Amino acid sequence: MNLYDVDGRIPNLALMKLSSYHRSRGCTVELIRVRGSTLPPKCREGDLHFASVVFYREQSARRVALLEAEFGSRLEVGGPGANLKRRLPLEVGSCFPDYSLYGHDQYALGFLTRGCKKHCAFCLVPIQEGRTIRRVAGFADFVPPGQQRVLLLDDNLLAFKGADALLQEMAERRYAVNFSQTLDIAYLEATKHQLLLGVDARNAAFNKRMYYFSLNHPSAIRLFEERRDMLKSFGKDHVGVVCLYGFDNTLTQDYLRWRCLRRLRLIPFFQEYWPIHGIPSRLSTDFFDMNLDEVIRLTFRSNGQNWEKYLRWLNRRYFQSFGRYYRPLVEVIYRYNNKERIQRYLNCPDLLTTELYRDYR
């Protein structure tokens, strides 16, 4: 049987569970990463075909179309990028992941809990997992013996009623933990704060201590301000804040969030909204509701490349809104590299979708 990883950035948990289930029944399993515009010859060697799609993107849809054209009804497709309601059968979902499928031993990954009680309009979790947070596994269900690095995929761990016990267990087991889906600042109270201090929280590379939170709307700024001392206690440059942009905030609302991060000296991670099925961007026609110069004067002590990515998005949005570029913004984007391209960029609107756009997206 063939398992197709369509667009994953990390080992695909569903495919590893499928591999474990079918290998235990004597099947030969082959992992195939679908990345180009053609399928490798070995695709045709399997008799069963399963594809997992993580992201709802045009590129992913084209890759699935290639598979469907080749295998038709013999292909089964799942994952949040394809079908939010389709789930692994219980007997498959309960399997221990087959990390050998990817030849992966850098970290374990899995869910302790699923679901989220929030109602964020941009998020697929309430649709896919429901608004009741429930325990679905223990560490022994996905962490191999001897593995001390754990990447957690939980949707909203701190909101789970049993979160304190889970944090305590992480500390006792001395796991290095990456909270990949971020922690909810609204549930950071005194007890959880103390427990988190005892957890060896790490970044995605597991080479730096890092706690991740999210700030997706200015309404949460107050929570960050109120918990300033707690955040500071995690250590300088050890708190990263993921910030969604391009969904429904105005430029003023973006600016208020960015200024908060600067004021609290937190590390920003700007993340463009990738539409999920049925939920397009809701940016208003008056997105540019403040002086753009105030925004582009902002600088950050760290993660400047990520900030520049936001500025490039802002540049494209400005062109789409007004049919021209704003030179001060273009100059900020090119302030360090390729300054000679500025005038060429301004004089050729078609470059929005050609080589310069590709180089700097």
Side-chain angles (χ1 to χ4, degrees), residues 220-233:
I221 290 175
R222 175 183 58 83
L223 298 174
F224 278 83
E225 296 281 5
E226 291 174 352
R227 292 157 175 78
R228 176 197 298 256
D229 291 340
M230 290 184 185
L231 294 171
K232 187 177 180 179
S233 73

Side-chain angles (χ1 to χ4, degrees), residues 186-338:
Y187 296 95
L188 182 65
E189 40 75 41
T191 300
K192 288 183 175 59
H193 168 246
Q194 286 300 315
L195 289 169
L196 279 168
L197 285 173
V199 175
D200 183 12
R202 297 293 186 96
N203 62 357
F206 289 90
N207 59 12
K208 180 182 179 180
R209 190 171 177 85
M210 185 66 67
Y211 295 85
Y212 292 104
F213 294 86
S214 57
L215 176 54
N216 296 318
H217 194 273
S219 61
I221 290 175
R222 175 183 58 83
L223 298 174
F224 278 83
E225 296 281 5
E226 291 174 352
R227 292 157 175 78
R228 176 197 298 256
D229 291 340
M230 290 184 185
L231 294 171
K232 187 177 180 179
S233 73
F234 292 129
K236 181 181 179 182
D237 293 336
H238 293 315
V239 177
V241 183
V242 177
C243 300
L244 186 75
Y245 65 85
F247 178 65
D248 64 352
N249 287 317
T250 65
L251 184 59
T252 295
Q253 291 173 325
D254 279 355
Y255 177 69
L256 291 173
R257 290 187 291 154
W258 312 160
R259 194 174 62 176
C260 170
L261 297 181
R262 268 182 51 85
R263 186 167 57 249
L264 299 182
R265 301 177 71 81
L266 304 175
I267 298 177
F269 290 86
F270 304 102
Q271 180 176 307
E272 182 179 355
Y273 175 64
W274 289 356
I276 59 179
H277 184 62
I279 307 180
S281 169
R282 301 178 182 181
L283 288 178
S284 65
T285 55
D286 60 347
F287 170 80
F288 291 95
D289 62 344
M290 66 169 288
N291 187 338
L292 191 54
D293 291 338
E294 292 293 315
V295 179
I296 64 179
R297 276 199 290 266
L298 288 173
T299 58
F300 293 89
R301 297 182 302 109
S302 57
N303 217 10
Q305 186 176 7
N306 189 246
W307 168 240
E308 193 170 294
K309 181 181 176 182
Y310 171 74
L311 293 179
R312 292 195 296 272
W313 174 84
L314 204 61
N315 189 42
R316 297 195 299 274
R317 185 73 195 179
Y318 191 92
F319 183 88
Q320 291 165 1
S321 297
F322 305 109
R324 57 185 173 84
Y325 295 114
Y326 185 60
R327 181 168 186 129
L329 174 55
V330 176
E331 290 175 343
V332 166
I333 295 172
Y334 284 90
R335 66 185 141 189
Y336 299 121
N337 302 302
N338 303 310

Side-chain angles (χ1 to χ4, degrees), residues 337-350:
N337 302 302
N338 303 310
K339 291 182 180 181
E340 72 281 356
R341 294 188 181 184
I342 291 178
Q343 195 57 50
R344 181 184 173 204
Y345 191 78
L346 293 171
N347 291 341
C348 185
D350 288 342

Side-chain angles (χ1 to χ4, degrees), residues 119-242:
H119 300 265
C120 300
F122 57 81
C123 185
L124 57 79
V125 169
I127 302 172
Q128 184 180 25
E129 304 290 353
R131 292 192 170 94
T132 300
I133 304 177
R134 62 203 183 280
R135 180 78 179 266
V136 295
F139 288 108
D141 295 311
F142 61 90
V143 181
Q147 177 60 266
Q148 290 301 115
R149 296 178 173 183
V150 179
L151 186 150
L152 286 181
L153 301 169
D154 294 51
D155 308 307
N156 195 339
L157 181 66
L158 295 189
F160 177 57
K161 289 183 178 180
D164 291 5
L166 294 177
L167 295 175
Q168 183 67 41
E169 185 177 0
M170 294 174 207
E172 292 174 351
R173 289 176 177 265
R174 298 185 179 180
Y175 284 145
V177 180
N178 173 251
F179 296 103
S180 68
Q181 302 305 300
T182 77
L183 299 167
D184 191 336
I185 192 74
Y187 296 95
L188 182 65
E189 40 75 41
T191 300
K192 288 183 175 59
H193 168 246
Q194 286 300 315
L195 289 169
L196 279 168
L197 285 173
V199 175
D200 183 12
R202 297 293 186 96
N203 62 357
F206 289 90
N207 59 12
K208 180 182 179 180
R209 190 171 177 85
M210 185 66 67
Y211 295 85
Y212 292 104
F213 294 86
S214 57
L215 176 54
N216 296 318
H217 194 273
S219 61
I221 290 175
R222 175 183 58 83
L223 298 174
F224 278 83
E225 296 281 5
E226 291 174 352
R227 292 157 175 78
R228 176 197 298 256
D229 291 340
M230 290 184 185
L231 294 171
K232 187 177 180 179
S233 73
F234 292 129
K236 181 181 179 182
D237 293 336
H238 293 315
V239 177
V241 183
V242 177

Side-chain angles (χ1 to χ4, degrees), residues 54-108:
V54 178
F55 302 108
Y56 182 73
R57 302 170 63 189
E58 182 179 338
Q59 187 180 59
S60 301
R62 287 198 301 267
R63 293 168 180 170
V64 170
L66 282 174
L67 292 169
E68 290 176 333
E70 181 68 32
F71 303 114
S73 61
R74 290 184 294 154
L75 174 72
E76 294 191 46
V77 183
N83 189 332
L84 295 180
K85 295 297 184 180
R86 186 166 195 178
R87 308 302 301 270
L88 291 175
L90 182 61
E91 64 271 22
V92 177
S94 60
C95 287
F96 193 91
D98 177 13
Y99 292 101
S100 70
L101 181 68
Y102 285 85
H104 178 82
D105 61 3
Q106 298 175 37
Y107 52 80

